[in-house]
């Protein structure tokens, strides 16, 4: 299954970036142009209050199984080996260098010198080994263990007090590791406990934690980025309702709100003292077709559904125009993406012909949607109805939607945040995909993905990816109709919030500062 | 059962009290029975909620880990949480732990469920007290005034306003209050009630004003109309007419003779309003982000957080049973006919019967 995307924190904060890894020393990625005016030099001091939306899951403090609001808390407490540039490229954070072997079967990671945990312990190779072994420990049951499944946790080598070498399981490649391990790869000390010893080396120390209400933090003076974070204290306040949070922002009870829905963005843009920052991203919006369904096992039916989608209309109506159209392929920002594949057009006549050829001139199917995907499902059902298809929309609550789809389920709404091509494949349709909701298994496609995962050289990887993308475009199971923008809002007194490609600038808690400090 | 020769006959608690020459109130056996029934109710509620939570579609382990977790991780968590055991075994195990004060840890947050819930319940009770402290005297005075001046312009105007407030959905009232007092030109109150968890809600009264006002406007029409109806009926009773014929001052008739006899149904109504505020404040909790028990229960059900759902269900059931018991007890004490009998008839419909008989009780 694929995580629902619209306003889904878990999805939006998951790994993203480019897969052009190869030999990465220092990982200095290109910077995207930053939106907004020059805000001047950051000031230190004050308290930042972030209002976050989590209708149900309050989440925990565990570095390796954060859920709900726990994900943004994780960015405050824990630092990772890598983080994203604003152009959504992985770059070194705690890692001084990352070197992938030419065969993609191993990676050497070297830590910066002098890194420190909140309780004073030096960050060392043994902590790194402990952290990767912990997240991949089956008994921890981390929801993100599948993202590092290629790493063989039993053959990790410690080369020196700051350097380790990870090996892949036989037949696996580690090229996508940086992309898949960023979000949930918090480095923790060997004496870590997610309840009694909540220690990381992130920008803030935990001060208090009230699940479902608020968490408070104080600045970590020995944070690895000199001079950061800028604010003395951080509060993360949890809201169940978007409207209540918007009121809180308007009235100055919070300073920053992430993942603002488009409807409220219009209102907030008109509010005095409030600014809205829109980040154009490549967050995938999809309709996932289950190839085990009798009708959808026929590629002609899948292609017909793709032709029935009026993508500009979907972006206009389901995303209120705040997005871009898709071509049934993910990761258009990836350096290996094949831009020569023609954009699929809205062609109901050809769709009808294909359906007739497949023996389904009057097909009836059900789209299963969560709250975030329901608008797109309804719009698409209406589009398809004009061509004689009877598409019903079944809306499920988040809990029921999360359950693995039964084989008879036809289409589900889906999406993932902008990741590189290989990382996206590892979510969607690769042979080792963690949640292959469409049950798409193509031997040639699988072989190409596995080969690409072991090929760190971007130029050599391109032909592999291009062929894989042709397969996806010609006989795949994803109807990727668009990519959505993401919005954050803040009081004018807050600096450091800029538009970027990483879906959600709100995770950069070490960069925000108060102009009135 | 026959007693053995020479053995003392078995005696009940009532007999022992009487043997000790301690005056036992007539309603005491009724109260003991109500306490036992209340205990049974709480147990039944906990069992039903437990079954209902597990009967919901979806798997708690899957919900907790989310859609990105592998099936293997979900299976391990299910095993760790003991969800593979028969439901009856899980429930008995839960009861056994609760009996020693262990409500387990929240599946979502990994913190003790009891601590999490008791704080939320405390916030809800604080809001309830705040609301009732204002609503009770306001409804009482307004209801009495409307009954005494029934069919006057004042009565008709007040009734129209009350029906108007009753007809408006609570969320609309809440939003209107926010626009009026928080985000509009008259920004004198916080728009949302994000309480500081380290302080008592009573130490942060400003955060209580808007949610309490919303609930007040929700409960006030109901209580006021109840008081008005009850008192109107009482004022039409024969003994009130007799009092008037004897020339007693109207003020004395109202406050000394009519109001006390109109109270029993009002007490039941007050208990109902208390339950409304305690359990029906979800909309206010959501709109104002007030950290109460309603939103906590909603979130716990969504995440299938069984320990938290169970803790909330149990504590809420205890609170509701307690409120009902207090209301019934007060009704018994205030009604001579019930106070002096060993079997007070206080079941559903009692309020209506009492209202009918309010004048002659």
């Amino acid at each position: 299954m694929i995580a629902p995307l619209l306003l889904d924190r878990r999805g939006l904060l998951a790994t993203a970036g480019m897969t052009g890894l190869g030999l990465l020393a220092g990982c200095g990625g290109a910077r995207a142009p930053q939106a907004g005016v020059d805000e001047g030099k950051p000031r230190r001091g004050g308290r930042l209050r972030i209002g976050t939306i989590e209708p149900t899951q309050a989440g925990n403090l565990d570095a390796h199984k954060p859920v709900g609001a726990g994900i943004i808390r994780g960015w405050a407490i824990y630092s990772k080996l890598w983080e994203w540039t604003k152009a959504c490229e992985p770059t070194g954070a705690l890692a001084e260098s990352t070197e992938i072997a030419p065969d993609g079967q191993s990676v050497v990671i070297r830590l910066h010198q002098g890194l420190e945990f909140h309780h004073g312990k030096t960050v060392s190779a043994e902590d790194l080994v402990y952290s990767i072994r912990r997240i991949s420990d089956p008994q921890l049951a981390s929801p993100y263990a599948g993202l590092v499944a290629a790493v063989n946790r039993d053959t990790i080598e410690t080369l020196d007090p700051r350097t380790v070498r990870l090996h892949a399981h036989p037949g696996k490649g580690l090229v996508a590791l940086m992309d898949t391990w960023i979000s949930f790869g918090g480095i923790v000390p060997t004496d870590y406990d997610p309840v009694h010893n909540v220690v990381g080396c992130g920008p803030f120390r935990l001060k208090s934690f009230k699940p479902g209400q608020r968490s408070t933090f104080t600045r970590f003076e020995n944070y690895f980025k000199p001079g950061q974070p800028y604010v003395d204290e951080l509060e993360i306040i949890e809201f169940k309702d978007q409207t209540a949070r918007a009121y809180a922002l308007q009235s100055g009870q919070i300073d920053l709100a992430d993942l603002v829905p488009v409807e409220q963005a219009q209102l907030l843009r008109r509010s005095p003292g409030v600014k809205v920052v829109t980040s154009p991203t490549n967050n995938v919006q999809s309709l996932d077709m289950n190839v085990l369904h009798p009708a959808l096992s026929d590629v002609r039916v899948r292609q017909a559904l793709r032709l029935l989608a009026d993508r500009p209309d979907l972006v206009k109506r389901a995303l209120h125009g705040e997005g871009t159209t898709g071509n049934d392929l993910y990761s258009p920002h990836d350096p290996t993406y094949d831009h020569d594949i023609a954009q699929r057009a809205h062609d109901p006549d050809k769709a009808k012909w294909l359906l007739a050829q497949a023996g389904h001139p009057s097909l009836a199917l059900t789209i299963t949607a969560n709250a975030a995907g329901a608008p797109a499902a309804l719009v698409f059902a209406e589009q398809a109805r004009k061509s004689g298809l009877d598409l019903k929309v079944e809306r499920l609550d988040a809990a029921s939607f999360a359950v693995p789809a039964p084989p008879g389920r036809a289409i589900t709404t889906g999406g993932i945040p902008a990741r590189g091509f290989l990382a996206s494949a590892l979510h969607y349709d690769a042979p080792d995909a963690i949640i292959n909701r469409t049950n798409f298994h193509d031997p040639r496609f699988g072989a190409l993905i596995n080969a690409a995962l072991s090929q760190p050289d971007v130029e050599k990887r391109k032909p592999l990816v291009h062929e894989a993308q042709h397969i996806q475009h010609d006989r795949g199971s994803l109807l990727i109709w668009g990519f959505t923008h993401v919005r954050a809002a803040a009081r004018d007194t807050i600096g450091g919030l800029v538009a970027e490609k990483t879906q959600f600038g709100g995770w950069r808690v070490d960069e925000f500062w108060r102009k009135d400090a | 059962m026959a007693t053995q020769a020479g053995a003392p006959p078995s005696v009940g608690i009532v007999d022992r009290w009487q043997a000790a020459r301690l005056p036992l109130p007539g309603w005491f056996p009724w109260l003991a029975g109500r306490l036992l029934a209340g205990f049974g109710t709480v147990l039944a509620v906990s069992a039903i909620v437990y079954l209902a939570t597990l009967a919901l579609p979806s798997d708690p382990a899957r919900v907790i880990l989310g859609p990105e977790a592998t099936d293997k991780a979900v299976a391990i968590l299910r095993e760790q949480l003991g969800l593979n055991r028969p439901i009856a075994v899980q429930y008995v195990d839960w009861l056994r732990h609760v009996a020693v004060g262990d409500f387990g840890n929240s599946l979502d947050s990994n913190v003790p469920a009891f601590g999490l819930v008791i704080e939320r319940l405390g916030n809800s009770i604080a809001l309830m007290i705040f609301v009732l402290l204002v609503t009770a005297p306001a409804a009482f005075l307004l209801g009495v005034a409307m009954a005494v001046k029934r069919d006057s312009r004042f009565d008709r105007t007040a009734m129209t306003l009350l029906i108007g407030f009753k007809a408006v959905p609570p969320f609309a009232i809440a939003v209107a209050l926010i626009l009026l007092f928080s985000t509009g030109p008259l920004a004198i109150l916080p728009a949302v009630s994000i309480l500081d968890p380290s302080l008592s809600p009573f130490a942060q009264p400003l955060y209580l004003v808007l949610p309490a006002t919303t609930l007040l406007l929700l409960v006030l029409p109901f209580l006021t109309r109840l008081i008005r109806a009850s008192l109107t009926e009482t004022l039409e009773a024969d003994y009130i007419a007799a009092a008037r014929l004897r020339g007693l001052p109207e003020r004395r008739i109202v406050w000394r003779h009519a109001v006390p006899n109109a109270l029993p149904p009002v007490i039941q109504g007050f208990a109902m309003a208390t339950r409304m505020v305690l359990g029906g404040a979800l909309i206010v909790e959501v709109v104002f982000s007030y950290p109460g028990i309603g939103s906590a229960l909603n979130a716990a059900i969504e995440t299938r957080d069984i320990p938290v759902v169970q803790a909330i269900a149990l504590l809420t059931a205890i609170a509701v049973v307690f409120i009902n018991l207090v209301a019934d007890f007060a009704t018994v004490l205030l009604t001579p006919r019930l106070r002096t009998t060993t079997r007070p008839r206080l079941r559903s419909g009692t309020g209506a019967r009492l209202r009918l008989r309010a004048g002659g009780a």
Side-chain angles (χ1 to χ4, degrees):
Chain A
M1 286 179 303
I2 305 301
L5 183 61
L6 280 173
L7 305 178
D8 185 316
R9 177 177 311 284
R10 185 198 309 279
L12 284 168
L13 283 176
T15 58
M18 309 290 279
T19 51
L21 303 183
L23 188 66
L24 290 161
C27 302
R31 295 272 166 178
Q34 297 185 3
V37 294
D38 182 13
E39 296 176 310
K41 190 181 172 188
R43 297 182 187 176
R44 292 190 67 166
R47 169 181 292 204
L48 176 71
R49 299 157 301 171
I50 297 179
T52 187
I53 280 287
E54 192 51 60
T56 54
Q57 282 190 290
N60 52 52
L61 295 169
D62 197 315
H64 298 137
K65 46 194 306 189
V67 291
I71 294 175
I72 190 170
R73 285 193 294 268
W75 283 104
I77 302 170
Y78 308 107
S79 283
K80 285 83 186 221
L81 291 171
W82 311 282
E83 62 184 34
W84 293 298
T85 66
K86 291 185 173 64
C88 202
E89 295 169 330
T91 188
L94 299 182
E96 181 182 85
S97 66
T98 306
E99 193 172 330
I100 299 178
D103 63 358
Q105 302 297 300
S106 65
V107 56
V108 174
I109 302 166
R110 184 168 176 80
L111 293 165
H112 279 291
Q113 193 155 22
L115 300 173
E116 196 177 290
F117 286 112
H118 296 157
H119 61 355
K121 182 180 184 293
T122 300
V123 182
S124 67
E126 67 171 352
D127 301 308
L128 201 163
V129 173
Y130 173 77
S131 299
I132 181 67
R133 284 184 57 77
R134 186 173 185 276
I135 191 173
S136 56
D137 182 354
Q139 290 306 307
L140 183 70
S142 168
Y144 311 110
L147 295 170
V148 292
V151 176
N152 186 338
R153 64 191 301 271
D154 298 321
T155 59
I156 301 171
E157 294 178 77
T158 301
L159 303 181
D160 65 44
R162 290 199 286 134
T163 312
V164 299
R165 176 183 286 130
L166 309 179
H167 294 274
H169 284 292
K172 312 289 182 193
L174 296 176
V175 167
L177 183 65
M178 285 172 62
D179 225 1
T180 57
W181 194 13
I182 288 183
S183 283
F184 310 108
I187 302 302
V188 296
T190 51
D191 60 349
Y192 175 72
D193 184 283
V195 176
H196 305 294
N197 191 27
V198 185
V199 170
C201 46
F204 293 94
R205 298 170 193 263
L206 179 72
K207 185 178 173 187
S208 67
F209 170 46
K210 290 286 181 187
Q213 295 186 55
R214 78 171 74 185
S215 315
T216 57
F217 308 83
T218 54
R219 181 172 57 210
F220 177 39
E221 296 294 348
N222 294 334
Y223 183 51
F224 73 95
K225 294 182 186 177
Q228 291 177 255
Y230 299 115
V231 294
D232 293 333
E233 291 181 84
L234 172 70
E235 279 185 56
I236 295 176
I237 301 167
E238 295 175 44
F239 288 82
K240 306 291 180 199
D241 180 63
Q242 289 276 12
T243 307
R245 188 178 65 158
Y247 286 140
L249 184 65
Q250 285 178 306
S251 64
Q253 287 181 267
I254 59 171
D255 304 307
L256 192 150
D258 61 323
L259 305 179
V260 175
V262 64
E263 305 85 8
Q264 288 193 342
Q266 310 295 341
L267 174 74
L268 291 173
R269 284 186 184 110
R270 293 195 297 268
S271 300
V274 175
K275 60 184 174 185
V276 177
V277 175
T278 301
S279 297
T281 75
N282 288 322
N283 292 348
V284 177
Q285 299 288 291
S286 67
L287 293 163
D288 306 339
M289 299 177 281
N290 180 8
V291 299
L292 295 183
H293 186 277
L296 295 171
S297 62
D298 190 326
V299 65
R300 291 170 295 186
V301 176
R302 300 203 297 270
Q303 293 299 79
L305 288 170
R306 286 168 152 182
L307 290 166
L308 284 174
D310 184 344
R311 295 152 204 258
D313 186 51
L314 274 161
V315 170
K316 182 182 173 188
R317 293 164 67 191
L319 300 181
H320 297 264
E322 296 213 2
T324 52
T325 54
N327 190 25
D328 301 324
L329 298 169
Y330 39 72
S331 315
H333 58 288
D334 192 290
T336 61
Y337 185 91
D338 188 352
H339 291 279
D340 291 334
I341 297 176
Q343 172 67 46
R344 182 166 274 123
H346 177 51
D347 191 344
D349 293 334
K350 189 174 178 185
K352 279 187 208 174
W353 182 81
L354 280 170
L355 288 170
Q357 291 293 307
H360 297 292
S362 57
L363 189 60
L365 294 170
T366 298
I367 305 176
T368 305
N370 60 354
L378 290 167
V379 172
F380 181 63
E382 185 190 316
Q383 292 175 353
R385 201 167 293 128
K386 291 175 186 167
S387 299
L389 253 71
D390 179 17
L391 292 188
K392 290 190 172 60
V393 177
E394 174 195 33
R395 183 171 162 171
L396 297 181
D397 69 303
S400 305
F401 190 78
V403 177
R409 189 175 285 177
I411 304 171
T412 49
T413 57
I416 55 171
R419 295 178 171 88
F421 174 79
L422 290 175
S424 300
L426 285 169
H427 271 80
Y428 262 127
D429 47 9
D432 295 321
I434 55 174
I435 33 175
N436 188 345
R437 185 178 273 178
T438 67
N439 297 297
F440 178 73
H441 297 287
D442 183 287
R444 179 60 188 160
F445 177 77
L448 289 164
I449 295 294
N450 282 338
L453 282 166
S454 298
Q455 180 51 266
D457 187 291
V458 174
E459 291 307 316
K460 290 179 180 172
R461 197 163 68 240
K462 268 185 184 175
L464 301 170
V465 172
H466 285 190
E467 188 182 344
Q469 290 190 317
H470 274 280
I471 292 173
Q472 288 180 315
H473 199 257
D474 294 340
R475 56 177 188 265
S477 55
L478 300 171
L479 196 173
I480 296 174
W481 54 268
F483 305 98
T484 182
H485 298 345
V486 176
R487 293 150 299 274
R491 302 291 304 176
D492 284 340
T493 49
I494 301 303
L497 178 67
V498 296
E500 56 175 274
K501 290 282 187 181
T502 65
Q503 310 103 318
F504 165 51
W507 65 270
R508 295 188 192 274
V509 289
D510 59 353
E511 292 195 1
F512 301 135
W513 53 280
R514 295 201 69 98
K515 297 174 184 174
D516 53 2
Chain B
M1 191 168 87
T3 54
Q4 290 181 350
S10 63
V11 290
I13 187 169
V14 176
D15 299 322
R16 284 203 295 274
W17 272 72
Q18 285 174 344
R21 293 175 180 266
L22 290 171
L24 194 65
W27 43 259
F28 185 83
W30 166 83
L31 182 64
R34 285 298 307 269
L35 282 171
L36 276 175
F39 181 73
T41 304
V42 168
L43 262 185
V45 166
S46 77
I48 291 167
V49 170
Y50 201 93
L51 288 172
T53 308
L54 288 175
L56 287 169
S58 186
D59 171 2
R62 167 60 69 183
V63 175
I64 294 302
L65 291 181
E68 294 195 0
T70 60
D71 290 343
K72 190 177 171 187
V74 172
I76 290 170
L77 186 61
R78 280 188 64 80
E79 186 64 35
Q80 290 172 347
L81 296 177
L83 296 172
N84 293 325
R85 297 172 301 163
I87 291 175
V89 174
Q90 292 181 50
Y91 178 66
V92 171
D93 191 47
W94 175 81
L95 267 185
R96 198 164 49 82
H97 282 92
V98 167
V100 293
D102 176 13
F103 282 73
N105 277 7
S106 160
L107 303 184
D108 179 23
S109 308
N110 202 21
V111 298
F114 183 77
L116 196 152
V117 170
I118 202 72
E119 185 182 328
R120 294 297 197 99
L121 187 64
N123 290 341
S124 283
I125 289 174
L127 183 60
M128 181 185 79
I129 291 172
F130 202 80
V131 171
L132 295 180
L133 277 178
V134 180
T135 309
F140 184 74
L141 293 175
L142 188 58
V144 169
M146 289 170 70
V148 170
K149 298 180 181 299
R150 62 185 178 279
D151 298 329
S152 67
R153 179 177 292 178
F154 165 75
D155 180 40
R156 288 197 301 272
T157 307
M159 186 63 86
T160 305
L161 283 174
L162 289 174
I163 290 172
F165 281 124
K166 187 74 183 163
V168 179
F171 80 88
I173 294 176
V175 170
L177 289 173
I178 290 173
L179 294 175
L180 193 60
F181 295 108
S182 300
T183 59
L186 197 64
I188 54 173
L189 290 169
V192 292
S193 304
I194 39 180
L195 298 177
D196 183 344
S198 62
L199 298 172
S200 158
F202 292 111
Q204 313 165 72
L206 275 185
Y207 288 129
L208 299 179
V209 174
L210 289 187
T213 306
T214 307
L215 289 174
L216 183 146
L217 293 175
L218 178 71
V219 172
L220 187 72
F222 164 73
L223 263 185
T224 306
R225 290 168 64 203
L226 187 69
I227 291 166
R228 179 190 178 277
S230 178
L231 190 59
T232 300
E233 211 169 83
T234 307
L235 286 172
E236 289 170 356
D238 293 342
Y239 76 93
I240 295 292
R244 285 189 177 123
L245 288 172
R246 282 204 296 273
L248 290 178
E250 188 67 16
R251 182 184 294 264
R252 186 173 176 186
I253 290 172
V254 170
W255 293 105
R256 290 286 300 275
H257 300 286
V259 167
N261 284 315
L263 276 180
V266 173
I267 288 169
Q268 294 295 329
F270 193 75
M272 192 180 291
T274 308
R275 293 194 298 268
M276 279 169 65
V277 175
L278 184 65
L282 178 60
I283 187 75
V284 168
E285 291 181 22
V286 170
V287 173
F288 293 104
S289 276
Y290 188 85
I293 202 81
S295 54
L297 178 61
N298 191 46
I301 291 171
E302 285 281 332
T303 54
R304 313 294 193 260
D305 194 342
I306 296 169
V308 174
V309 171
Q310 282 298 101
I312 292 175
L314 192 72
L315 292 175
T316 309
I318 290 171
V320 169
V321 165
F322 178 74
I323 290 166
N324 279 344
L325 192 62
V326 169
D328 287 353
F329 190 49
T331 303
V332 168
L333 291 185
L334 283 172
T335 312
R337 180 178 57 79
L338 300 173
R339 192 167 59 222
T340 52
T341 181
T342 55
R343 285 171 176 261
R345 292 176 63 82
L346 266 167
R347 297 190 184 92
S348 72
T350 303
R353 284 199 297 277
L354 288 173
R355 196 158 51 245
L356 285 173
R357 297 172 185 175

